[in-house]
Amino acid sequence: MFVDRRPGRLLSLVGLLLAGALVLAGCSGSGGDQPGSGSTAPSGTPGAFPATVTHKFGSTTVPAAPQRVVSLGYTDQDAILALGVVPVAVREFTGNKPSATWDWAQDELQGQQPQVLPVGEVGTEAIAALRPDLIVGISAGLTQEQYDTYSKIAPTIAQPAGFVDYGTPWQDATRLTGQALGKPAEAEQLIRDLEAKFAQVKAANPGLQGKSVAGVRPSTADNASFFVWGSQDLRARFFQALGMTIPQEFDHLAGSNFYATISTEEISKLDPVDSIVLITASDAETQAFQNLPGYSGLTPVQQGHAFTPTPEQSAAMSFSSVLSLPALLDTLPADMNAKLA
């Protein structure tokens, strides 16, 4: 089952995602056999450190190759793992997978078992106990106060400026992570390779070009509304990279958020789109959405242009990481193209 478990201000939006020059207070420690006791550190090229990373709250300097990396963001572990580093701790996001890591990234764990941090508030004591020398919180939706607090423990990387919280594109997340780990060249190579795959898949699925898409799911707040994602959402970015479009009305309704809330009485707002993608937490949720009054009469539904990704596809879209996206590109676009072409 694909269940999004982000807390606080985002937990109230749980279905939307379906579907801290810093003073070092932390210190490096020797590894061990217990989960979360050690990590595979980056090899860092000569001259890569000290590394300075610019983000939403200014800049962070990482003085030396980090040995104990905490993946505080909900999906940050993927870019860290892709660059050959195993975090000492990973934040739970969705799916209750071993080490909070989905199948597409399991091999990169190198047999290690990072400690799993809770979805809820992660206290400074818990982070300090891990003795990190780097905290990566790109997808943590950090506030200035949280960033300042975590930064007293270890150099902390926050989300870049210019994007809504939880809306950092995978390219930027990978690039910032590579800079922090002293592996900027490796990060750029990962970005080039995946962008090339996107271009290949886009060219192979011309039926998607210019087609509008609505990514939706039931509201987690009540039974009288549903969520639709705006163009700053990671899932929306996935479709846009394939040549699809997000209706401007949804962006207008979303405002400064990555999603919009629409009354079920206004489900007809989905009628003009070329395709609908249901990203839900369970089969029951999918069925409930399909049973909404007016859903079966929507033009894209009657045309067979309503899609329900598998749980792994839904998770891969919600992670939208350098590790999760390749497998997704091999499956979902072709399925959609076959019907939309």
Side-chain angles (χ1 to χ4, degrees), residues 189-257:
Q189 187 61 56
L190 288 171
I191 293 169
R192 285 193 295 270
D193 290 347
L194 185 48
E195 286 185 334
K197 186 173 181 66
F198 263 102
Q200 180 183 30
V201 172
K202 180 178 179 179
N205 295 282
L208 304 181
Q209 306 310 302
K211 297 294 175 61
S212 59
V213 58
V216 301
R217 64 151 290 126
S219 169
T220 55
D222 56 56
N223 295 321
S225 61
F226 63 93
F227 299 134
V228 61
W229 292 296
S231 59
Q232 290 203 62
D233 176 72
L234 298 182
R235 283 143 295 221
R237 294 187 195 281
F238 170 77
F239 292 119
Q240 289 173 305
L242 296 173
M244 304 186 78
T245 65
I246 306 300
Q248 291 185 352
E249 180 180 14
F250 299 157
D251 277 337
H252 176 72
L253 291 172
S256 60
N257 296 315

Side-chain angles (χ1 to χ4, degrees), residues 37-183:
S37 65
S39 69
T40 300
S43 58
T45 57
F49 293 98
T52 299
V53 183
T54 301
H55 49 74
K56 181 178 180 179
F57 302 121
S59 63
T60 295
T61 297
V62 184
Q67 305 298 308
R68 297 180 62 80
V69 180
V70 168
S71 181
L72 182 63
Y74 292 98
T75 61
D76 291 335
Q77 72 267 31
D78 277 10
I80 297 170
L81 290 167
L83 289 164
V85 177
V86 181
V88 295
V90 173
R91 189 85 169 268
E92 174 60 36
F93 174 28
T94 186
N96 290 319
K97 295 293 183 178
S99 299
T101 302
W102 278 73
D103 294 348
W104 57 72
Q106 279 290 325
D107 289 345
E108 280 70 22
L109 287 174
Q110 303 175 41
Q112 298 187 52
Q113 296 179 320
Q115 180 174 321
V116 176
L117 300 172
V119 172
E121 189 70 23
V122 180
T124 54
E125 297 85 357
I127 297 297
L130 292 164
R131 295 172 289 124
D133 46 20
L134 177 66
I135 300 171
V136 181
I138 298 170
S139 61
L142 296 178
T143 63
Q144 179 74 63
E145 181 180 6
Q146 289 173 323
Y147 170 76
D148 292 342
T149 298
Y150 289 125
S151 294
K152 294 176 182 178
I153 300 173
T156 300
I157 310 301
Q159 61 268 35
F163 305 108
V164 298
D165 288 349
Y166 313 105
T168 302
W170 64 267
Q171 295 98 322
D172 296 82
T174 304
R175 185 170 290 116
L176 263 64
T177 303
Q179 293 170 357
L181 295 177
K183 295 191 173 187

